[in-house]
Amino acid sequence: MLRVDLREQLAKLNVFGQPTTLERPPTVLLFSLAAIAAIASLSACYLWFSDGRPIEPDSKVIAAADHSMMDDVRASQQKTATELERVTQDAAATKADLQKLSDQVSALATKVDTLQDAAASLTSSIARPPNARAQASTKKSSKPTPN
């Protein structure tokens, strides 16, 4: 196997005057290993302490939340029922007012028809008397003339 020394080639390529190495500094490697060990130990502790514990929340907390939610639902239902009753009463009052107005309009229409019939009968029963001159000329023509 042929071993190639790359350090000399990197030294030639160094433009900025910074030291170039192929090896990582040992501090970065140590911090990486420490971080991996910390994550692994925290995961192990979590699994060890949570073994046998239920994942679901406490039933008392759920019962309290259900109770408060049911109170909210009941209050909302009561408010809705009150509003519905008010709307129903308003609708009934409006219906009664409309029926009253309809009855009044019907009575008024009946009175108008009665008045129109009375006016028509009055105009037909009152005949204009013929002219007095016309009556006089008919009376003269009916009298015999002396010869």
Side-chain angles (χ1 to χ4, degrees):
M1 192 174 215
L2 184 64
R3 184 172 175 176
V4 179
D5 192 16
L6 295 175
R7 291 178 195 209
E8 292 175 10
Q9 291 176 356
L10 285 176
K12 290 177 186 176
L13 293 175
N14 189 357
V15 177
F16 298 109
Q18 302 260 336
T20 56
T21 61
L22 292 177
E23 299 174 2
R24 291 187 179 183
T27 55
V28 173
L29 184 61
L30 288 176
F31 283 125
S32 299
L33 289 175
I36 291 171
I39 291 172
S41 64
L42 287 174
S43 299
C45 288
Y46 174 76
L47 290 174
W48 185 25
F49 287 120
S50 66
D51 187 33
R53 288 178 132 186
I55 296 175
E56 293 134 11
D58 190 14
S59 62
K60 292 179 184 178
V61 174
I62 292 174
D66 285 346
H67 183 67
S68 66
M69 187 170 39
M70 287 301 293
D71 289 343
D72 292 343
V73 169
R74 284 189 189 115
S76 177
Q77 285 178 342
Q78 183 64 33
K79 182 179 175 183
T80 304
T82 303
E83 289 177 8
L84 183 62
E85 182 66 28
R86 183 185 54 81
V87 168
T88 304
Q89 289 173 353
D90 288 348
T94 302
K95 185 178 179 182
D97 289 344
L98 286 175
Q99 184 63 41
K100 181 179 173 183
L101 289 173
S102 176
D103 291 344
Q104 289 175 350
V105 167
S106 297
L108 188 60
T110 304
K111 288 180 182 179
V112 167
D113 288 343
T114 305
L115 289 174
Q116 285 177 345
D117 291 343
S121 65
L122 281 177
T123 55
S124 64
S125 67
I126 300 177
R128 292 186 182 183
N131 244 341
R133 287 185 190 170
Q135 285 178 352
S137 65
T138 50
K139 286 182 185 179
K140 284 183 184 178
S141 60
S142 60
K143 290 184 184 179
T145 55
N147 277 354

